[in-house]
Coordinates of all heavy atoms in Angstrom, one line a residue:
M1 N 55.8 100.5 161.2 CA 56.2 99.2 160.7 C 57.6 99.2 160.2 O 58.3 98.2 160.4 CB 55.2 98.9 159.5 CG 55.5 97.5 158.9 SD 54.2 97.1 157.7 CE 55.1 97.1 156.3
L2 N 58.1 100.3 159.5 CA 59.4 100.3 159.0 C 60.4 101.0 159.9 O 61.6 101.1 159.6 CB 59.4 101.0 157.7 CG 58.6 100.3 156.6 CD1 58.6 101.1 155.3 CD2 59.1 98.9 156.3
R3 N 60.0 101.4 161.1 CA 60.9 102.0 162.0 C 61.7 101.0 162.7 O 61.2 100.0 163.2 CB 60.1 102.9 163.1 CG 59.5 104.1 162.5 CD 58.9 104.9 163.6 NE 58.3 106.1 163.1 CZ 57.6 107.0 163.8 NH1 57.5 106.8 165.1 NH2 57.1 108.1 163.2
P4 N 63.0 101.2 162.8 CA 63.8 100.2 163.6 C 63.6 100.3 165.1 O 63.4 101.4 165.6 CB 65.2 100.6 163.2 CG 65.2 102.1 162.9 CD 63.8 102.3 162.3
K5 N 63.6 99.2 165.7 CA 63.4 99.1 167.1 C 64.7 99.1 167.8 O 65.5 98.3 167.6 CB 62.6 97.9 167.5 CG 62.2 97.9 168.9 CD 61.2 96.7 169.2 CE 60.7 96.8 170.6 NZ 59.8 95.8 170.9
I6 N 65.0 100.2 168.5 CA 66.3 100.3 169.2 C 66.2 99.5 170.5 O 65.4 99.8 171.3 CB 66.6 101.8 169.5 CG1 66.7 102.5 168.1 CG2 67.9 101.9 170.2 CD1 66.8 104.0 168.3
P7 N 67.1 98.6 170.7 CA 67.1 97.8 171.9 C 67.5 98.6 173.1 O 68.4 99.5 173.0 CB 68.0 96.6 171.7 CG 69.0 97.1 170.6 CD 68.2 98.1 169.8
T8 N 66.9 98.3 174.2 CA 67.4 99.0 175.5 C 68.4 98.1 176.2 O 68.4 96.9 175.9 CB 66.1 99.2 176.4 OG1 65.6 97.9 176.7 CG2 65.1 100.1 175.8
M9 N 69.2 98.7 177.0 CA 70.3 98.0 177.7 C 69.6 97.2 178.8 O 69.1 97.7 179.7 CB 71.3 99.0 178.2 CG 72.5 98.3 178.8 SD 73.4 97.5 177.4 CE 74.9 97.2 178.2
P10 N 69.7 95.8 178.6 CA 69.0 95.0 179.6 C 69.9 95.0 180.9 O 71.1 95.2 180.9 CB 69.0 93.6 179.0 CG 70.1 93.6 178.0 CD 70.2 95.0 177.6
T11 N 69.2 94.7 182.0 CA 70.0 94.6 183.3 C 70.6 93.2 183.3 O 70.1 92.3 182.7 CB 69.0 94.7 184.5 OG1 68.0 93.8 184.3 CG2 68.4 96.1 184.5
P12 N 71.8 93.1 183.9 CA 72.5 91.8 183.9 C 71.7 90.8 184.7 O 71.1 91.1 185.8 CB 73.8 92.1 184.5 CG 73.7 93.4 185.2 CD 72.6 94.2 184.5
T13 N 71.7 89.6 184.2 CA 71.0 88.5 184.9 C 72.0 87.4 185.1 O 73.0 87.3 184.4 CB 69.8 88.0 184.0 OG1 70.3 87.5 182.8 CG2 68.8 89.0 183.8
G14 N 71.7 86.6 186.0 CA 72.7 85.5 186.3 C 73.7 85.9 187.3 O 73.5 86.8 188.1
F15 N 74.8 85.2 187.3 CA 75.9 85.4 188.3 C 76.7 86.7 188.0 O 77.2 86.9 186.9 CB 76.9 84.2 188.3 CG 78.0 84.3 189.2 CD1 77.8 84.2 190.6 CD2 79.3 84.6 188.8 CE1 78.9 84.3 191.5 CE2 80.3 84.8 189.6 CZ 80.1 84.6 191.0
V16 N 76.8 87.6 188.9 CA 77.5 88.8 188.8 C 78.6 88.7 189.9 O 78.4 88.6 191.0 CB 76.6 90.0 189.0 CG1 77.5 91.3 188.9 CG2 75.5 90.0 188.0
S17 N 79.9 88.8 189.4 CA 81.0 88.7 190.4 C 81.3 90.1 191.0 O 81.2 91.1 190.3 CB 82.2 88.2 189.7 OG 82.6 89.1 188.7
P18 N 81.6 90.1 192.3 CA 81.9 91.4 192.9 C 83.3 91.9 192.4 O 84.1 91.1 191.9 CB 82.0 91.0 194.4 CG 82.3 89.6 194.4 CD 81.7 89.0 193.2
R19 N 83.5 93.2 192.5 CA 84.7 93.8 192.0 C 85.8 93.4 192.9 O 85.7 93.3 194.2 CB 84.6 95.3 192.0 CG 83.7 95.8 191.0 CD 83.8 97.3 190.9 NE 83.0 97.8 189.8 CZ 83.0 99.0 189.4 NH1 83.7 99.9 190.0 NH2 82.2 99.4 188.4
T20 N 87.0 93.1 192.3 CA 88.1 92.7 193.1 C 89.2 93.7 193.0 O 89.3 94.4 191.9 CB 88.7 91.3 192.6 OG1 89.0 91.4 191.3 CG2 87.7 90.2 192.8
V21 N 90.0 93.9 194.0 CA 91.1 94.9 194.0 C 92.4 94.2 193.7 O 92.7 93.2 194.3 CB 91.2 95.6 195.4 CG1 92.3 96.6 195.4 CG2 89.9 96.3 195.7
V22 N 93.1 94.7 192.7 CA 94.3 94.0 192.3 C 95.5 94.9 192.8 O 95.6 96.1 192.6 CB 94.5 94.0 190.7 CG1 95.8 93.4 190.3 CG2 93.3 93.2 190.2
E23 N 96.3 94.2 193.6 CA 97.4 95.0 194.2 C 98.7 94.7 193.4 O 98.9 93.5 193.0 CB 97.6 94.5 195.7 CG 96.4 94.9 196.6 CD 96.6 94.4 198.0 OE1 97.7 94.0 198.3 OE2 95.7 94.5 198.8
P24 N 99.6 95.7 193.3 CA 100.8 95.4 192.5 C 101.7 94.5 193.3 O 101.8 94.5 194.5 CB 101.4 96.8 192.4 CG 100.8 97.6 193.4 CD 99.4 97.0 193.7
T25 N 102.5 93.7 192.5 CA 103.4 92.8 193.1 C 104.8 93.2 192.7 O 105.0 93.9 191.8 CB 103.1 91.3 192.7 OG1 103.2 91.3 191.2 CG2 101.8 90.9 193.1
A26 N 105.8 92.6 193.4 CA 107.2 92.9 193.1 C 107.6 92.2 191.8 O 107.2 91.1 191.5 CB 108.1 92.5 194.2
V27 N 108.5 92.9 191.0 CA 109.0 92.3 189.8 C 110.3 91.7 190.0 O 111.2 92.3 190.6 CB 109.1 93.4 188.7 CG1 109.7 92.8 187.4 CG2 107.8 94.1 188.4
V28 N 110.4 90.4 189.7 CA 111.6 89.7 190.0 C 112.3 89.3 188.6 O 111.6 88.8 187.7 CB 111.3 88.3 190.7 CG1 112.6 87.6 190.9 CG2 110.6 88.6 192.0
Q29 N 113.6 89.7 188.5 CA 114.3 89.4 187.2 C 114.8 88.0 187.3 O 115.5 87.6 188.2 CB 115.5 90.4 187.1 CG 115.1 91.8 186.9 CD 114.5 92.1 185.5 OE1 114.8 91.4 184.6 NE2 113.7 93.1 185.4
H30 N 114.5 87.2 186.3 CA 115.0 85.9 186.1 C 116.0 85.8 185.0 O 115.8 86.4 184.0 CB 113.8 84.9 185.8 CG 112.8 84.7 186.9 ND1 113.1 84.0 188.0 CD2 111.6 85.2 187.1 CE1 112.1 84.0 188.8 NE2 111.1 84.8 188.3
H31 N 117.1 85.2 185.3 CA 118.1 85.0 184.3 C 117.8 83.8 183.4 O 117.6 82.7 184.0 CB 119.5 84.9 184.9 CG 119.9 86.2 185.7 ND1 120.2 87.3 185.0 CD2 120.0 86.4 187.0 CE1 120.5 88.2 186.0 NE2 120.4 87.7 187.2
P32 N 117.7 84.0 182.1 CA 117.4 82.8 181.3 C 118.5 81.7 181.3 O 119.7 82.0 181.3 CB 117.2 83.4 179.9 CG 118.0 84.6 179.9 CD 118.0 85.1 181.3
T33 N 118.1 80.5 181.4 CA 119.0 79.4 181.4 C 119.4 79.2 179.9 O 118.6 79.3 179.0 CB 118.4 78.1 181.9 OG1 117.2 77.8 181.2 CG2 118.0 78.3 183.4
P34 N 120.7 78.8 179.7 CA 121.1 78.6 178.3 C 120.4 77.4 177.7 O 120.1 76.4 178.4 CB 122.6 78.3 178.4 CG 122.8 78.0 179.8 CD 121.8 78.6 180.6
A35 N 120.1 77.5 176.4 CA 119.4 76.4 175.7 C 120.3 75.2 175.6 O 121.5 75.4 175.4 CB 118.9 76.9 174.4
P36 N 119.8 74.0 175.7 CA 120.7 72.8 175.5 C 121.1 72.7 174.1 O 120.5 73.2 173.2 CB 119.8 71.7 175.9 CG 118.4 72.2 175.7 CD 118.4 73.6 176.0
A37 N 122.3 72.2 173.9 CA 122.8 72.0 172.6 C 122.0 71.0 171.8 O 121.5 70.0 172.3 CB 124.3 71.4 172.6
P38 N 121.7 71.3 170.5 CA 120.9 70.4 169.7 C 121.5 69.0 169.6 O 122.7 68.9 169.4 CB 120.7 71.1 168.4 CG 121.9 72.1 168.3 CD 122.2 72.4 169.7
A39 N 120.7 68.0 169.6 CA 121.2 66.7 169.5 C 121.6 66.4 168.0 O 121.1 67.0 167.1 CB 120.1 65.7 169.9
A40 N 122.6 65.5 167.9 CA 123.0 65.2 166.5 C 121.9 64.4 165.8 O 121.2 63.6 166.4 CB 124.3 64.3 166.6
S41 N 121.7 64.7 164.5 CA 120.7 64.1 163.7 C 121.1 62.7 163.4 O 122.2 62.3 163.1 CB 120.5 64.9 162.4 OG 119.5 64.3 161.6
T42 N 120.0 61.8 163.5 CA 120.3 60.4 163.2 C 120.0 60.1 161.8 O 120.1 58.9 161.4 CB 119.4 59.5 164.1 OG1 118.0 59.9 163.9 CG2 119.7 59.7 165.6
R43 N 119.6 61.1 160.9 CA 119.3 60.8 159.5 C 120.6 60.6 158.8 O 121.6 61.3 159.1 CB 118.5 62.0 158.9 CG 117.1 62.1 159.5 CD 116.4 63.2 158.8 NE 117.0 64.5 159.0 CZ 116.7 65.6 158.3 NH1 115.8 65.5 157.4 NH2 117.4 66.7 158.6
P44 N 120.6 59.8 157.8 CA 121.8 59.6 157.0 C 122.0 60.8 156.1 O 121.1 61.4 155.6 CB 121.6 58.3 156.2 CG 120.1 58.2 156.1 CD 119.6 58.8 157.4
T45 N 123.3 61.2 155.9 CA 123.6 62.3 155.0 C 123.4 61.8 153.5 O 123.7 60.7 153.2 CB 125.0 62.8 155.2 OG1 125.9 61.8 155.0 CG2 125.1 63.4 156.6
V46 N 123.0 62.8 152.7 CA 122.8 62.4 151.3 C 124.1 62.6 150.5 O 124.8 63.6 150.6 CB 121.7 63.3 150.6 CG1 121.6 63.0 149.1 CG2 120.4 63.2 151.4
Q47 N 124.5 61.6 149.8 CA 125.8 61.6 149.1 C 125.5 61.4 147.6 O 124.8 60.4 147.3 CB 126.8 60.6 149.6 CG 127.2 60.8 151.1 CD 128.1 59.7 151.6 OE1 128.3 58.7 150.9 NE2 128.6 60.0 152.7
F48 N 126.0 62.3 146.8 CA 125.7 62.2 145.3 C 127.0 61.6 144.7 O 128.1 62.0 145.0 CB 125.4 63.6 144.7 CG 124.1 64.1 145.2 CD1 124.0 65.2 146.0 CD2 122.9 63.6 144.7 CE1 122.8 65.8 146.4 CE2 121.7 64.1 145.1 CZ 121.6 65.2 145.9
T49 N 126.7 60.7 143.8 CA 127.8 60.2 143.0 C 128.0 61.1 141.8 O 127.1 61.9 141.4 CB 127.4 58.7 142.5 OG1 126.3 58.8 141.7 CG2 127.2 57.8 143.7
P50 N 129.2 61.0 141.1 CA 129.4 61.8 139.9 C 128.3 61.6 138.9 O 127.9 62.6 138.2 CB 130.8 61.4 139.4 CG 131.4 60.9 140.7 CD 130.4 60.3 141.5
G51 N 127.8 60.4 138.7 CA 126.8 60.1 137.7 C 125.5 60.8 138.1 O 124.8 61.3 137.2
A52 N 125.1 60.8 139.4 CA 123.9 61.5 139.8 C 124.0 63.0 139.7 O 123.1 63.6 139.3 CB 123.6 61.1 141.3
M53 N 125.2 63.5 139.9 CA 125.4 65.0 139.7 C 125.3 65.3 138.3 O 124.6 66.4 137.9 CB 126.8 65.4 140.3 CG 126.9 65.4 141.8 SD 125.7 66.5 142.6 CE 126.3 68.1 142.0
L54 N 125.8 64.5 137.4 CA 125.7 64.8 136.0 C 124.2 64.7 135.5 O 123.8 65.5 134.7 CB 126.6 63.8 135.2 CG 126.7 64.0 133.7 CD1 127.4 65.3 133.5 CD2 127.5 62.9 133.1
A55 N 123.5 63.7 136.1 CA 122.1 63.6 135.7 C 121.3 64.8 136.2 O 120.4 65.3 135.5 CB 121.5 62.3 136.3
L56 N 121.6 65.3 137.4 CA 120.9 66.5 137.9 C 121.2 67.7 137.1 O 120.3 68.5 136.8 CB 121.3 66.8 139.4 CG 120.7 65.9 140.4 CD1 121.3 66.1 141.8 CD2 119.2 66.1 140.5
V57 N 122.5 67.9 136.7 CA 122.8 69.1 135.9 C 122.2 69.0 134.5 O 121.6 69.9 134.0 CB 124.4 69.1 135.7 CG1 124.8 70.1 134.6 CG2 125.0 69.5 137.0
G58 N 122.1 67.8 133.9 CA 121.4 67.6 132.7 C 119.9 67.8 132.7 O 119.4 68.5 131.9
A59 N 119.3 67.4 133.8 CA 117.9 67.6 134.0 C 117.6 69.1 134.2 O 116.6 69.6 133.7 CB 117.4 66.8 135.2
G60 N 118.4 69.8 135.0 CA 118.2 71.2 135.2 C 118.4 72.0 133.9 O 117.6 72.9 133.6
T61 N 119.4 71.6 133.1 CA 119.6 72.3 131.8 C 118.4 72.1 130.9 O 118.0 73.0 130.2 CB 120.9 71.8 131.2 OG1 122.0 71.9 132.1 CG2 121.2 72.5 129.9
A62 N 117.9 70.8 130.9 CA 116.7 70.6 130.1 C 115.5 71.4 130.5 O 114.8 71.9 129.6 CB 116.4 69.1 130.1
V63 N 115.3 71.5 131.8 CA 114.2 72.3 132.3 C 114.3 73.7 131.9 O 113.4 74.4 131.4 CB 114.0 72.1 133.8 CG1 113.1 73.1 134.4 CG2 113.6 70.7 134.2
V64 N 115.5 74.3 132.1 CA 115.7 75.7 131.7 C 115.5 75.9 130.2 O 114.9 76.9 129.8 CB 117.2 76.1 132.1 CG1 117.5 77.4 131.5 CG2 117.3 76.2 133.6
L65 N 116.0 75.0 129.4 CA 115.8 75.1 127.9 C 114.3 75.0 127.5 O 113.9 75.8 126.7 CB 116.6 74.1 127.2 CG 118.2 74.3 127.2 CD1 118.9 73.1 126.5 CD2 118.5 75.6 126.6
V66 N 113.6 74.1 128.1 CA 112.2 74.0 127.8 C 111.4 75.2 128.2 O 110.6 75.7 127.5 CB 111.6 72.7 128.4 CG1 110.1 72.6 128.3 CG2 112.2 71.5 127.7
V67 N 111.6 75.7 129.4 CA 110.9 76.8 129.9 C 111.3 78.1 129.1 O 110.4 78.9 128.7 CB 111.2 77.1 131.4 CG1 110.7 78.4 131.9 CG2 110.6 76.0 132.3
G68 N 112.5 78.2 128.7 CA 113.0 79.3 127.9 C 112.3 79.3 126.5 O 111.9 80.3 126.0
A69 N 112.2 78.1 125.9 CA 111.6 77.9 124.6 C 110.1 78.3 124.7 O 109.5 79.0 123.8 CB 111.7 76.5 124.1
V70 N 109.4 77.9 125.8 CA 108.0 78.2 125.9 C 107.8 79.7 126.1 O 106.9 80.3 125.4 CB 107.4 77.4 127.1 CG1 106.0 78.0 127.5 CG2 107.3 76.0 126.8
L71 N 108.6 80.3 126.9 CA 108.5 81.8 127.1 C 108.8 82.6 125.8 O 108.1 83.5 125.4 CB 109.4 82.2 128.2 CG 109.0 81.8 129.6 CD1 110.1 82.2 130.6 CD2 107.7 82.3 130.0
V72 N 109.8 82.1 125.0 CA 110.2 82.8 123.8 C 109.0 82.6 122.8 O 108.7 83.6 122.1 CB 111.5 82.3 123.2 CG1 111.7 82.7 121.8 CG2 112.6 82.8 124.1
S73 N 108.5 81.4 122.7 CA 107.4 81.2 121.8 C 106.1 82.0 122.1 O 105.4 82.6 121.2 CB 107.0 79.7 121.7 OG 106.5 79.3 122.9
M74 N 105.9 82.2 123.4 CA 104.8 83.1 123.8 C 105.0 84.5 123.5 O 104.1 85.2 123.0 CB 104.5 82.9 125.4 CG 103.9 81.6 125.7 SD 103.8 81.3 127.5 CE 102.8 82.6 128.0
L75 N 106.2 85.0 123.7 CA 106.6 86.3 123.3 C 106.5 86.5 121.8 O 106.0 87.6 121.3 CB 108.0 86.7 123.8 CG 108.5 88.1 123.5 CD1 107.7 89.1 124.2 CD2 110.0 88.2 123.8
L76 N 106.9 85.6 121.0 CA 106.8 85.6 119.6 C 105.3 85.7 119.1 O 105.0 86.4 118.2 CB 107.5 84.4 118.9 CG 107.6 84.4 117.4 CD1 108.3 85.6 116.9 CD2 108.3 83.1 116.9
A77 N 104.5 84.9 119.8 CA 103.1 84.9 119.4 C 102.4 86.2 119.7 O 101.6 86.7 118.9 CB 102.3 83.8 120.3
V78 N 102.8 86.9 120.8 CA 102.3 88.2 121.1 C 102.8 89.2 120.1 O 102.0 90.1 119.6 CB 102.7 88.6 122.5 CG1 102.4 90.1 122.8 CG2 102.0 87.8 123.6
A79 N 104.0 89.1 119.7 CA 104.6 90.0 118.7 C 103.9 89.9 117.3 O 103.5 90.9 116.7 CB 106.1 89.8 118.6
V80 N 103.7 88.6 116.9 CA 103.0 88.4 115.6 C 101.6 88.9 115.7 O 101.1 89.5 114.7 CB 103.1 86.9 115.3 CG1 102.2 86.5 114.1 CG2 104.5 86.5 115.0
T81 N 100.9 88.6 116.8 CA 99.5 89.1 116.9 C 99.5 90.6 116.9 O 98.6 91.2 116.2 CB 98.9 88.6 118.2 OG1 99.0 87.2 118.3 CG2 97.5 89.0 118.4
G82 N 100.4 91.3 117.6 CA 100.4 92.7 117.5 C 100.7 93.3 116.1 O 100.0 94.3 115.7
A83 N 101.6 92.7 115.4 CA 101.9 93.1 114.1 C 100.7 92.9 113.1 O 100.4 93.8 112.3 CB 103.1 92.4 113.5
S84 N 100.0 91.8 113.3 CA 98.8 91.5 112.4 C 97.7 92.5 112.7 O 97.0 93.0 111.8 CB 98.4 90.1 112.5 OG 97.9 89.8 113.8
V85 N 97.5 92.8 114.0 CA 96.5 93.8 114.3 C 96.8 95.2 113.8 O 96.0 95.9 113.3 CB 96.3 93.8 115.9 CG1 95.4 95.0 116.3 CG2 95.6 92.5 116.3
A86 N 98.1 95.5 113.8 CA 98.5 96.8 113.3 C 98.3 96.9 111.8 O 97.8 97.9 111.2 CB 100.0 97.1 113.6
V87 N 98.6 95.8 111.0 CA 98.4 95.7 109.6 C 96.9 95.8 109.3 O 96.5 96.6 108.4 CB 99.0 94.5 109.0 CG1 98.6 94.2 107.6 CG2 100.5 94.5 109.1
C88 N 96.1 95.1 110.0 CA 94.6 95.2 109.8 C 94.1 96.6 110.1 O 93.3 97.1 109.3 CB 93.9 94.2 110.8 SG 94.2 92.5 110.3
A89 N 94.6 97.3 111.1 CA 94.2 98.6 111.4 C 94.6 99.6 110.2 O 93.8 100.4 109.8 CB 94.8 99.1 112.7
V90 N 95.8 99.4 109.7 CA 96.2 100.3 108.5 C 95.3 100.0 107.3 O 94.9 100.9 106.6 CB 97.7 100.0 108.2 CG1 98.1 100.7 106.9 CG2 98.5 100.5 109.3
V91 N 95.0 98.7 107.0 CA 94.2 98.4 105.9 C 92.7 99.0 106.1 O 92.2 99.6 105.1 CB 94.1 96.9 105.7 CG1 93.1 96.5 104.6 CG2 95.5 96.4 105.2
I92 N 92.2 98.8 107.2 CA 90.8 99.3 107.5 C 90.8 100.8 107.4 O 89.9 101.4 106.8 CB 90.3 98.8 108.9 CG1 90.1 97.3 108.8 CG2 89.1 99.5 109.3 CD1 89.7 96.6 110.1
R93 N 91.8 101.4 107.9 CA 91.9 102.9 107.8 C 92.0 103.4 106.4 O 91.3 104.4 106.0 CB 93.1 103.4 108.6 CG 93.2 104.9 108.7 CD 94.4 105.3 109.5 NE 94.6 106.7 109.5 CZ 95.6 107.3 110.0 NH1 96.6 106.6 110.6 NH2 95.7 108.6 109.9
S94 N 92.8 102.7 105.6 CA 92.9 103.1 104.2 C 91.5 102.9 103.4 O 91.2 103.6 102.6 CB 94.0 102.4 103.5 OG 93.7 101.0 103.4
L95 N 90.9 101.8 103.8 CA 89.6 101.5 103.1 C 88.5 102.6 103.5 O 87.7 103.0 102.7 CB 89.0 100.1 103.5 CG 89.8 98.9 102.9 CD1 89.2 97.6 103.5 CD2 89.6 98.9 101.4
I96 N 88.5 103.0 104.8 CA 87.6 104.0 105.2 C 87.9 105.3 104.6 O 87.0 106.1 104.1 CB 87.6 104.1 106.8 CG1 86.9 102.8 107.3 CG2 86.8 105.3 107.2 CD1 87.0 102.7 108.8
S97 N 89.2 105.7 104.5 CA 89.5 107.0 103.9 C 89.3 107.0 102.4 O 88.9 108.0 101.9 CB 91.0 107.3 104.2 OG 91.8 106.4 103.6
S98 N 89.4 105.8 101.7 CA 89.1 105.8 100.3 C 87.6 106.0 100.0 O 87.2 106.5 99.0 CB 89.7 104.5 99.7 OG 89.0 103.4 100.1
Q99 N 86.8 105.5 100.9 CA 85.3 105.7 100.7 C 84.9 107.1 100.9 O 84.0 107.6 100.3 CB 84.6 104.8 101.8 CG 84.6 103.3 101.4 CD 83.8 102.5 102.4 OE1 83.4 103.0 103.4 NE2 83.6 101.2 102.1
H100 N 85.6 107.9 101.8 CA 85.3 109.3 102.0 C 85.7 110.1 100.8 O 85.1 111.1 100.5 CB 86.0 109.8 103.2 CG 85.3 109.3 104.5 ND1 84.1 109.7 104.9 CD2 85.8 108.4 105.4 CE1 83.8 109.1 106.0 NE2 84.8 108.3 106.4
R101 N 86.7 109.7 100.0 CA 87.2 110.4 98.9 C 86.2 110.3 97.7 O 86.2 111.2 96.8 CB 88.6 110.0 98.5 CG 89.6 110.4 99.5 CD 91.0 109.9 99.0 NE 92.0 110.1 100.1 CZ 93.1 109.5 100.2 NH1 93.5 108.7 99.2 NH2 93.9 109.7 101.2
R102 N 85.5 109.2 97.6 CA 84.6 109.0 96.4 C 83.4 109.8 96.5 O 82.7 110.2 97.3 CB 84.3 107.5 96.3 CG 85.5 106.7 95.9 CD 85.2 105.3 95.7 NE 86.4 104.6 95.4 CZ 86.4 103.3 95.1 NH1 85.3 102.6 95.1 NH2 87.5 102.7 94.8

């Protein structure tokens, strides 16, 4: 009941093609034709005015400042958490050691 049944290799059924003989052919070298020059783009070029450039620089500066502030605040939160855990560990250690002395 629990023995696996190993399948036997069935004989092929249906259409069986006869073996064909492949003969080698001559190799012909083709010289590649040069690619055609790319067509000029019909899209209009983007032109920035001095006001638009100033707005882009201002927006980029604002993004950098906001991302920097977020990263610094996250680093500060990790540092404060680590310091508080260290203080708690020192206090708990002193409490445990004072109980052993009594």
